[in-house]
Amino acid sequence: MKCTLWLAVGLLVAGPLAAEPFSEEDLAVARELREAALAGDGGYEIVADLTTRIGPRLAGSEADARAVEWAVQMFEGMGFDRVWTEPATFPTWHRGLERTEIVSPARHELVTLALGFSPATPKGGIEAEVAMFEDLAALQEADPAEVADRIVFIRNRMERTRTGAGYGRAVGARSVGSRVAAEKGALALVIRSIGTSNNRFAHTGMQRFDSDVRLLPAVAISNPDADLLERLMAGDEPVRIQVEVDAETVESYTSQNVFAEITGSGKPGEIVAIGAHLDSWDVGTGAIDDGAGVAIVTEAARLIGNLDRRPDRSIRVILFAAEEIGLWGGRAWVRAREAQMDKYQFVAESDFGAGRAYAISARVSDAAWPVIAAIQEELEPLGIELGERSASGGPDFSPALRYGVAAVDLEQDGTEYFDYHHTVNDTLDKIEPDALAQNAAAYAVLAWLGAQAPMGFGSGRTILEEESTD
Ligand SMILES: [Zn+2]
């Protein structure tokens, strides 16, 4: 019902063209791609290979370089028209050991991971009384006298949601907790892991990093360990804790964004860009984050590349470098293309695990929205409904939003994603092959029909002008 309504609106806004934007032949190809993706296991083979032969691939590590090699070889083997790399340079960080122990009033060793860019403590660690805060806001409002010479513990718990919205609400404790605690004279930071599991795994992750801001040694502890610490804090006795971190920040490393293209037959200069990030955290094997995304977009493009027909526009797969430690690959990509955003039909990144996609949302011009509605009709058999008229395109493409790039989000069920995210437990068995194939099918339909669409989606000035008059 919703679709019919949008098509009717489209007729009024954009003329008869929008009512049937795709030829029967293009729709038949979309259906063929959808069924081929659902029937195959090409995506699963890709993520199995990446997680097995490469494994964890922290940006700037030796495995990062091997992953770039792996991706280039994979794309070349698949017969893409063009395969190339572009550099991205960034500071990086290496984990040594980490240890968190409650020393009084009862002794407990806690399951711990240091946070990205945590500096090292002196050997033997730092020991101090704990100052506990409800969340980042409470720490920000705290009198420095409550914080100075203490180890700060931020206890906020991430809420489980299908959309993953709980992550955004909780993650500030991790991304800026250490710098806020440092300004108030704290000695170290301990956070409850930003994750939803009640299993005893700690979740690492990024802290916002600028070379001129002082960070404290910072660690995340598992949810059950955070519960334990809270119970002790509720007692009358002061709680003392010891934190030890050994880690090293590296000033500069250059990795590569990896590109593969199916060159369009009609409008080769116009580009549909689908992406994922190739790097991962250094724990687990980066299966759901973001081996799944690598597999989904690669398999979608591989199936399109196998067709007898070329798409009208070019389709580009981009595997970004160094997403986890600060979107460095995405930022390098946009820096090289600020003036060319109007050449992008749209961008879409898969970076939310392998849960089923349930909605398509898009940031496109008013005139192009009926085309998105028509694409959704071909996604309907996959259980994907029409979503919002806004989209970010995913983390690596997000730096391009301010240049008005059109973006599409295939929104995935993230109910369980944050049980495993950034933990040693992010491994291949967490991926359900059928759900991965459903995503590959959705990306194949989206990329194909996006490349065949009768109109541009409005990247560049059109979107910015329409947004400014909203
Ligand atoms: Zn990711």
Side-chain angles (χ1 to χ4, degrees):
M1 193 59 213
K2 220 196 281 176
C3 314
T4 326
L5 181 65
W6 275 115
L7 284 174
V9 171
L11 259 171
L12 294 173
V13 172
L17 190 62
E20 284 175 25
F22 300 110
S23 70
E24 274 310 314
E25 199 192 345
D26 285 344
L27 291 174
V29 171
R31 290 162 197 162
E32 185 190 317
L33 287 166
R34 191 176 68 210
E35 298 316 311
L38 289 178
D41 58 2
Y44 193 78
E45 282 176 22
I46 292 166
V47 63
D49 197 54
L50 175 61
T51 55
T52 303
R53 293 205 296 127
I54 308 297
R57 44 201 180 277
L58 185 70
S61 68
E62 170 273 336
D64 177 15
R66 283 195 292 121
V68 168
E69 258 320 284
W70 172 90
V72 168
Q73 279 179 16
M74 170 179 69
F75 286 147
E76 286 176 349
M78 289 175 175
F80 281 93
D81 297 322
R82 291 173 64 207
V83 177
W84 73 101
T85 64
E86 294 180 13
T89 299
F90 45 84
T92 186
W93 178 83
H94 297 298
R95 182 187 308 279
L97 70 86
E98 57 253 309
R99 191 173 62 79
T100 305
E101 193 176 352
I102 299 171
V103 293
S104 69
R107 267 194 119 81
H108 292 277
E109 185 91 31
L110 308 184
V111 171
T112 301
L113 284 175
L115 301 181
F117 290 106
S118 170
T121 61
K123 217 173 163 49
I126 294 168
E127 187 188 315
E129 194 177 320
V130 176
M132 181 169 77
F133 295 92
E134 195 61 40
D135 54 21
L136 177 67
L139 174 63
Q140 281 165 329
E141 285 157 21
D143 183 340
E146 299 170 51
V147 177
D149 300 322
R150 307 273 183 103
I151 292 176
V152 164
F153 170 48
I154 307 178
R155 70 174 190 171
N156 69 189
R157 182 189 287 272
M158 182 189 157
E159 183 196 344
R160 184 186 297 278
T161 58
R162 180 168 80 153
T163 61
Y167 185 67
R169 291 195 283 270
V171 76
R174 188 189 78 209
S175 53
V176 297
S178 161
R179 67 173 64 191
V180 174
E183 282 162 14
K184 295 179 192 267
L187 300 177
L189 173 75
V190 175
I191 62 165
R192 176 188 284 276
S193 281
I194 309 301
T196 47
S197 173
N198 58 6
N199 285 314
R200 208 173 175 199
F201 294 105
H203 298 240
T204 188
M206 183 56 189
Q207 304 183 80
R208 206 174 296 163
F209 177 77
D210 305 297
S211 47
D212 53 348
V213 170
R214 193 169 77 88
L215 297 179
L216 298 175
V219 299
I221 57 175
S222 79
N223 267 319
D225 287 301
D227 295 342
L228 168 75
L229 182 52
E230 284 192 25
R231 290 197 300 277
L232 286 170
M233 292 297 294
D236 295 332
E237 293 170 272
V239 177
R240 295 186 67 81
I241 202 168
Q242 199 178 69
V243 173
E244 184 171 12
V245 173
D246 187 17
E248 188 193 359
T249 295
V250 177
E251 290 293 312
S252 175
Y253 178 88
T254 299
S255 184
Q256 306 288 325
N257 291 332
V258 185
F259 298 75
E261 182 179 281
I262 304 166
T263 306
S265 59
K267 300 171 189 146
E270 295 183 18
I271 301 154
V272 166
I274 55 176
H277 65 84
L278 188 55
D279 68 308
S280 75
W281 273 102
D282 54 344
V283 297
T285 59
I288 62 165
D289 188 12
D290 184 23
V294 170
I296 289 164
V297 296
T298 301
E299 176 65 358
R302 186 185 73 82
L303 291 167
I304 295 170
N306 282 351
L307 297 170
D308 294 332
R309 284 184 57 191
R310 304 263 91 187
D312 193 27
R313 295 182 179 80
S314 294
I315 296 174
R316 242 177 230 185
V317 180
I318 310 174
L319 302 186
F320 290 100
E323 187 272 348
E324 294 291 3
I325 62 169
L327 302 181
W328 294 96
R331 290 196 271 169
W333 172 81
V334 77
R335 212 177 304 120
R337 290 171 175 78
E338 284 168 4
Q340 300 158 35
M341 272 311 137
D342 57 347
K343 295 193 169 53
Y344 284 82
Q345 173 73 337
F346 69 88
V347 296
E349 181 174 24
S350 174
D351 183 21
F352 204 55
R356 282 177 187 273
Y358 64 85
I360 177 173
S361 294
R363 179 209 203 198
V364 296
S365 67
D366 296 340
W369 179 250
V371 180
I372 297 298
I375 293 174
Q376 184 272 332
E377 290 193 25
E378 300 309 315
L379 299 173
E380 181 82 42
L382 298 171
I384 297 174
E385 49 189 50
L386 196 58
E388 309 281 312
R389 283 213 53 185
S390 66
S392 76
D396 288 294
F397 286 124
S398 65
L401 290 179
R402 64 195 163 108
Y403 301 101
V405 72
V408 179
D409 292 345
L410 285 170
E411 288 165 37
Q412 291 173 264
D413 187 327
T415 309
E416 287 168 13
Y417 182 63
F418 292 101
D419 287 349
Y420 310 117
H421 184 247
H422 299 179
T423 71
V424 297
N425 208 18
D426 175 4
T427 48
L428 184 64
D429 55 297
K430 309 308 181 304
I431 292 178
E432 195 214 310
D434 287 353
L436 190 77
Q438 185 254 15
N439 278 280
Y443 271 88
V445 169
L446 170 66
W448 168 256
L449 291 179
Q452 301 308 101
M455 62 172 70
F457 285 179
S459 283
R461 277 207 313 275
T462 310
I463 284 180
L464 292 176
E465 279 165 11
E466 286 180 0
E467 285 178 347
S468 72
T469 57
D470 276 352

